Amino acid sequence: MNKVEAEFGNLVKAFRKRHMGKGPREIRTTFCKHWAICEMEGNLSPVEKFIASAVDGKQALRSARTEMVKEMYRLHRPVEMEKLLGANFVDLFVDIDLDKDIGMSIFVFDEDIEKKFSV
């Protein structure tokens, strides 16, 4: 992970903490063409872990941790990320494994950020 990838990960963590109350414990970011791929561990709060232990709670939590996160980025454009990369945010793909508490977010930008920041 290069310096800009690490800084991008810190911005993701701060954004989620600001808008969701909690960011991931660990985050690893990799730039691949127009994508910033973030692998995140330690996403769930103690209350969310409790909710995930119930069958019905798992589906609600999965929806919250995927669809609602995407909506949050649509409502609150990640301008700090755009400024860091000098590229416009286009889309976001999100998934989470609730049992392992590991999430994946793929941020799509309008420029080849891998080429722009390769070491």
Side-chain angles (χ1 to χ4, degrees):
M1 190 163 56
N2 70 37
K3 182 181 173 188
V4 180
E5 289 169 332
E7 195 171 336
F8 185 88
N10 288 334
L11 290 175
V12 170
K13 198 181 288 193
F15 187 93
R16 290 192 180 207
K17 187 172 185 174
R18 181 169 58 248
H19 295 287
M20 297 176 67
K22 181 186 183 314
R25 182 184 68 246
E26 272 185 59
I27 187 165
R28 287 173 302 286
T29 302
T30 304
F31 293 161
C32 178
K33 299 183 183 180
H34 289 246
W35 298 350
I37 304 166
C38 296
E39 303 169 75
M40 296 170 279
E41 295 181 32
N43 298 283
L44 304 175
S45 70
V47 171
E48 288 174 316
K49 287 178 183 179
F50 176 74
I51 292 169
S53 68
V55 176
D56 293 342
K58 216 171 225 177
Q59 183 55 39
L61 186 56
R62 183 164 176 64
S63 176
R65 282 294 183 156
T66 56
E67 295 309 313
M68 292 176 76
V69 167
K70 290 192 283 188
E71 182 65 16
M72 179 182 63
Y73 278 91
R74 280 191 285 272
L75 294 174
H76 306 281
R77 190 162 192 85
V79 293
E80 296 93 349
M81 295 173 196
E82 291 178 322
K83 184 176 178 184
L84 172 70
L85 301 178
N88 293 314
F89 172 73
V90 175
D91 207 353
L92 175 65
F93 298 90
V94 180
D95 200 7
I96 189 164
D97 182 318
L98 296 172
D99 296 322
K100 295 178 183 174
D101 195 4
I102 296 173
M104 181 76 76
S105 290
I106 302 173
F107 296 83
V108 182
F109 291 91
D110 68 346
E111 293 184 35
D112 186 332
I113 58 175
E114 179 184 23
K115 189 184 293 182
K116 200 174 198 179
F117 296 105
S118 62
V119 181

